[in-house]
Amino acid sequence: MARTVNPVAYAAKRDAFVGAAVRLIQEKGYEQLSIQGVIEAAGASRGAFFHYFDSKAALLAAVVERTVETATSTVAPIAADPRLTALEKLQEIFAGIAQWKREQPEYQPEAVLERLRTWYSDENTIVLERMRVAVARRLTPLLVDILHEGAADGSFSLTSPEGTAGVFTALILGLNEVAIRLILGRRDGTVAFETVTATLAAYFEAFERILGIPPTSWPLL
């Protein structure tokens, strides 16, 4: 008789390996991550690990999938909220992603320097690139719908919601990385506060221009 698999227990055990991998990537970087290290951090056996993943690459795919799913799931309800205008939806999505990031362990004050430096180091280039691609894939369709809505009611002046959504997604992802570099620079004392505000203002001005909305419509947070 075939053994019955408990889907809840299966998912929990698999997630334990993914969670251990996330912690180690934050602490050491993906290049330094080893399967044995993940096994030890999860308190499991090699047999258990290879029951769920056939390689380090497969584990990375699961890390990216879980992280992106968690992050983007917080913004999907915003895009569908009929009480919000198209511009409010975009601003809420932007704020929602920022809030989610602030709640993550690697962004807490006691860990921000060490973990951010590791997360955005060369050792994690492959992780960051996979994250960018996955986030763009999830976020762009939501933005297309919102931009169609704004174009239809006249609040946005644009000719191609699909094309603009791709550009807007690229700007958001670019700003995310730039903001982290600014945070680290401020902590090091190598970046002036005026540089931070000027950089953010430039991005928000770009948001306004590609959407065709009046200047200062996008608040400088």
Side-chain angles (χ1 to χ4, degrees):
M1 179 181 294
R3 185 176 63 178
T4 301
V5 176
N6 183 324
V8 175
Y10 181 93
K13 292 178 180 178
R14 182 179 185 275
D15 199 54
F17 287 115
V18 176
V22 170
R23 293 191 298 273
L24 291 174
I25 290 172
Q26 291 170 350
E27 294 170 3
K28 300 179 179 181
Y30 178 74
E31 293 299 324
Q32 300 301 317
L33 180 72
S34 69
I35 289 176
Q36 186 58 38
V38 173
I39 291 170
E40 293 173 0
S45 66
R46 289 185 66 84
F49 176 88
F50 285 106
H51 178 70
Y52 298 98
F53 307 101
D54 60 10
S55 64
K56 180 179 173 180
L59 178 61
L60 172 60
V63 167
V64 171
E65 178 185 13
R66 189 181 82 165
T67 305
V68 172
E69 173 63 30
T70 302
T72 56
S73 65
T74 64
V75 302
I78 297 172
D81 192 338
R83 298 168 298 178
L84 299 176
T85 66
L87 180 57
E88 287 171 340
K89 288 178 180 180
L90 289 181
Q91 292 171 338
E92 288 290 330
I93 285 175
F94 183 87
I97 293 175
Q99 178 62 34
W100 176 82
K101 292 179 75 66
R102 286 195 296 271
E103 293 171 353
Q104 304 313 299
E106 66 268 26
Y107 290 89
Q108 301 310 304
E110 65 275 10
V112 67
L113 283 179
E114 181 180 350
R115 291 193 175 184
L116 281 182
R117 289 189 198 285
T118 302
W119 190 249
Y120 285 88
S121 67
D122 291 342
E123 285 75 14
N124 276 340
T125 298
I126 186 173
V127 180
L128 295 176
E129 182 56 30
R130 295 280 183 89
M131 291 283 189
R132 279 191 287 266
V133 171
V135 169
R137 188 181 302 118
R138 296 287 187 90
L139 193 57
T140 302
L142 295 178
L143 297 182
V144 169
D145 291 341
I146 295 173
L147 295 182
H148 270 293
E149 178 184 330
D153 65 20
S155 57
F156 296 160
S157 178
L158 45 89
T159 57
S160 172
E162 289 77 11
T164 303
V167 175
F168 197 84
T169 300
L171 279 174
I172 289 178
L173 296 177
L175 176 55
N176 171 68
E177 186 162 339
V178 167
I180 297 303
R181 305 298 181 191
L182 292 173
I183 289 173
L184 295 176
R186 285 291 294 155
R187 293 277 183 166
D188 291 339
T190 58
V191 175
F193 182 72
E194 292 75 12
T195 300
V196 176
T197 56
T199 302
L200 295 180
Y203 268 93
F204 294 162
E205 181 180 354
F207 291 168
E208 292 164 350
R209 291 192 176 189
I210 67 171
L211 295 175
I213 57 179
T216 72
S217 297
W218 197 285
L220 180 62
L221 303 179

